[in-house]
């Protein structure tokens, strides 16, 4: 928590960045524009993210932003991870979510909950070359995540895991899965336990890959656990503490989904402004018509408002201050305005907006998931309402 002296000092504007943050933001922006942008359409059509780009994410330190330097990471902040996700998502929201899942839910959970031995074993690999997935959801348990059917049977020195996980981001590329299973179903959610699962563990298999509307380059797969043998030392936290790890990790992760959405909404705005200057109707650029100006101005205002919510939630998290309601608001609002921005961007483009010759068609497909994953909009509203109504 900040000291009272620190709080008494004149606070900075929410969008003010430190010198280091500015440099980091500029580096990621340049990388995204120069090295990812040329492949965005190809990757969307193929439904595959290029391995060489993921390798570059690691080389640039983007997969281990908060991992302490002693483990080969960047020793950076959560806020930096938020900046990276925004910059990548402004070029390709699939790139944004790969880096988001790695940093803000997987690495983040290990940094907070893993034992010194688990950290020493996995954090250096997560910083260097191992993609991670976060496996909570199942076919029968989405919003009601702890109603999961995957079971973990205690066999002394190991657990046997049986069940199926669904919708797991990064699963095709991952070597490591932070996976939740219930080790004591009679105890309900208090049986949920977090396991560190390696792809090579016997009985573990990556199943069907989803053929999606948007975020097509980001893999989303089923995981199959058939007597998957996980050593006891790969339980993270206590047996039965997994629900707490899952909730607290997702509370942070959803700020990064807000960041993915502001990156996407910013892209919708930038493409719309450029097109409004260039496209002529009735003898003048369409940007000279007040009704088009109105749409652009409204989009810009909403992107700025969403950014303030996201940055504030991230700053609160880094300051060790409560941020639960602010994170839910940031994710809820950013995903709502991003969907509006992507839709309006197509309208500003007119007919060409729905063709693949212009980038806004893809943004419109990519944006839909923002209101669904890491807690649907309804679930965010429930969290906010609970904070308002329950003392
Ligand atoms: C592309 C993609 C990537 C994903 N990545 C991951 C991942 O990496 N790891 C992971 O574990 N999961 C992942 N998910 C799963 C995602 O988190 C769930 O899809 C999400 O939580 C919603 O669950 P559901 O799909 O079962 O919908 P449901 O929970 O069945 O919801 C259906 C509808 O009912 C509403 N609803 C449900 N309960 C309530 C309630 N109490 N009050 C009001 N409304 C309610 C919801 O808001 C929604 O509109 C991913 C999903 C997708 C599509």
């Amino acid at each position: 928590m900040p000291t009272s002296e620190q709080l008494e000092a004149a606070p900075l504007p929410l969008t003010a960045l430190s010198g280091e943050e500015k440099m980091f933001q500029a580096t990621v922006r340049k990388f995204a524009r120069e090295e990812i942008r040329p492949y965005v359409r190809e990757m969307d059509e193929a439904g595959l993210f290029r391995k060489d780009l993921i390798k570059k994410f690691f080389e640039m330190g983007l997969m281990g932003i908060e991992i302490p330097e002693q483990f080969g990471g960047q020793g950076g902040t959560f806020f930096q991870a938020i900046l990276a996700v925004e910059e990548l998502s402004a070029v390709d929201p699939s790139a944004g979510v790969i880096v988001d899942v790695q940093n803000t839910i997987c690495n983040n959970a290990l940094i907070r909950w893993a034992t010194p031995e688990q950290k020493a074993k996995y954090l250096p690999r997560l910083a260097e070359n191992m993609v991670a997935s976060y496996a909570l959801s199942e076919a029968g348990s989405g919003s009601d995540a702890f109603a999961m059917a995957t079971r973990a049977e205690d066999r002394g020195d190991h657990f046997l895991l049986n069940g199926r996980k669904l919708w797991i981001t990064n699963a095709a590329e991952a070597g490591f899965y932070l996976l939740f299973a219930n080790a004591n179903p009679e105890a309900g959610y208090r049986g949920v336990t977090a396991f560190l699962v390696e792809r090579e563990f016997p009985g573990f298999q990556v199943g069907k890959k989803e053929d999606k509307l948007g975020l097509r380059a980001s893999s989303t797969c089923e995981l199959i656990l058939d007597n998957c043998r996980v050593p006891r030392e790969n339980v993270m936290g206590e047996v039965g503490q997994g629900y707490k790890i899952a909730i607290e990790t997702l509370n942070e992760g959803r700020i990064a989904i807000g960041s993915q959405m502001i990156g996407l909404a910013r892209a919708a705005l930038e493409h719309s402004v450029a097109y409004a200057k260039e496209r002529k109707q009735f003898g003048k650029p369409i940007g000279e018509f007040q009704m088009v100006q109105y749409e652009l101005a409204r989009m810009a205002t909403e992107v700025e408002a969403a950014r303030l919510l996201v940055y504030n939630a991230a700053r609160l998290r880094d300051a060790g201050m409560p941020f639960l309601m602010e994170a839910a608001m940031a994710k809820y609002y950013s995903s709502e305005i991003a969907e509006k921005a992507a839709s309006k961007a197509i309208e500003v483009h007119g007919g060409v907006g729905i063709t693949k010759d212009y980038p806004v068609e893809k943004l419109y497909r990519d944006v839909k998931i923002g209101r669904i994953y890491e807690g649907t909009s309804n679930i965010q509203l429930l969290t906010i309402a609970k904070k308002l109504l329950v003392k």
Side-chain angles (χ1 to χ4, degrees):
M1 293 284 273
T3 61
S4 51
E5 290 78 38
Q6 283 169 325
L7 289 172
E8 285 306 315
L12 290 171
L14 279 179
T15 47
L17 304 182
S18 70
E20 196 186 340
E21 287 167 346
K22 274 188 209 152
M23 252 169 54
F24 178 77
Q25 183 190 49
T27 307
V28 183
R29 185 173 293 177
K30 186 167 182 291
F31 167 70
R33 288 180 178 171
E34 291 177 3
E35 304 202 39
I36 302 178
R37 182 165 282 160
Y39 300 110
V40 171
R41 183 161 171 189
E42 167 201 305
M43 295 194 295
D44 179 57
E45 285 173 358
L48 208 59
F49 206 86
R50 289 176 69 105
K51 283 195 178 129
D52 59 334
L53 287 180
I54 295 182
K55 193 161 172 272
K56 282 188 185 160
F57 291 172
F58 280 107
E59 286 164 3
M60 290 180 68
L62 293 178
M63 297 297 260
I65 296 170
E66 274 190 279
I67 293 181
E69 285 172 30
Q70 69 181 108
F71 298 116
Q74 299 302 301
T77 59
F78 183 77
F79 190 82
Q80 280 179 309
I82 293 303
L83 287 178
V85 172
E86 179 185 343
E87 290 309 321
L88 296 171
S89 303
V91 168
D92 185 5
S94 283
V97 79
I98 292 171
V99 167
D100 159 29
V101 167
Q102 180 93 7
N103 285 281
T104 72
I105 48 179
C106 293
N107 296 347
N108 193 5
L110 265 81
I111 292 168
R112 170 134 182 236
W113 299 92
T115 61
E117 293 75 26
Q118 289 168 341
K119 285 184 188 174
K121 182 167 183 189
Y122 291 115
L123 288 180
R125 292 163 69 187
L126 289 165
E128 200 193 330
N129 57 16
M130 189 165 71
V131 176
S133 280
Y134 181 89
L136 178 67
S137 304
E138 299 181 4
S141 56
S143 300
D144 188 10
F146 300 136
M148 66 181 63
T150 299
R151 298 289 177 251
E153 194 187 322
D154 191 340
R155 292 289 185 94
D157 66 342
H158 67 277
F159 282 80
L160 280 186
L161 270 52
N162 280 289
R164 284 171 183 240
K165 293 286 168 186
L166 200 64
W167 311 121
I168 307 309
T169 299
N170 288 352
E173 299 82 11
F176 176 86
Y177 303 80
L178 170 54
L179 190 145
F180 297 86
N182 198 320
N184 182 10
E186 290 86 62
Y189 72 92
R190 289 184 179 275
V192 173
T193 304
F195 293 91
L196 306 179
V197 177
E198 296 180 30
R199 193 182 186 113
E200 291 72 30
F201 281 177
F204 179 87
Q205 205 190 321
V206 177
K208 178 179 159 252
K209 184 172 158 191
E210 303 298 338
D211 187 4
K212 308 194 298 294
L213 166 78
L215 279 198
R216 292 184 53 79
S218 149
S219 68
T220 313
C221 310
E222 184 184 29
L223 303 180
I224 302 163
L225 301 143
D226 181 11
N227 280 327
C228 174
R229 194 185 159 102
V230 181
R232 178 169 282 277
E233 65 258 26
N234 279 36
V235 170
M236 188 169 79
E238 304 288 318
V239 172
Q241 207 184 28
Y243 74 96
K244 197 167 156 48
I245 296 175
I247 290 175
E248 294 191 6
T249 310
L250 287 176
N251 286 343
E252 302 189 352
R254 63 181 48 135
I255 305 174
I257 300 299
S259 180
Q260 182 195 33
M261 291 293 120
I262 57 175
L264 192 158
R266 188 181 101 195
L269 172 66
E270 286 169 2
H271 291 306
S272 300
V273 169
Y275 190 76
K277 287 185 188 167
E278 158 207 318
R279 170 70 173 170
K280 288 198 174 112
Q281 286 293 279
F282 302 96
K284 50 182 167 180
I286 60 166
E288 289 187 19
F289 299 119
Q290 281 192 340
M291 289 163 96
V292 174
Q293 292 175 0
Y294 165 81
E295 291 301 350
L296 299 177
R298 199 170 61 175
M299 248 192 246
T301 306
E302 290 177 350
V303 172
E304 184 68 4
R307 181 177 291 113
L308 295 176
L309 284 173
V310 170
Y311 283 15
N312 186 50
R315 293 284 193 210
L316 286 172
R317 188 279 193 186
D318 275 337
M321 295 168 81
F323 62 87
L324 176 67
M325 185 165 79
E326 290 79 1
M329 287 173 167
K331 199 255 175 186
Y332 165 71
Y333 186 73
S334 308
S335 56
E336 300 281 320
I337 68 99
E339 192 173 296
K340 220 157 87 183
S343 175
K344 285 294 168 195
I346 293 202
E347 290 170 31
V348 168
H349 282 72
V352 297
I354 59 163
T355 70
K356 291 192 187 295
D357 295 336
Y358 284 79
V360 288
E361 176 267 351
K362 177 175 173 292
L363 295 179
Y364 188 65
R365 288 186 287 108
D366 284 350
V367 80
K368 191 67 228 180
I369 187 60
R371 288 172 63 164
I372 298 171
Y373 60 9
E374 293 205 30
T376 65
S377 284
N378 282 0
I379 297 300
Q380 305 309 324
L381 292 172
L382 284 176
T383 303
I384 298 163
K386 211 189 266 178
K387 284 296 273 186
L388 294 174
L389 297 167
V390 181
K391 291 232 160 143

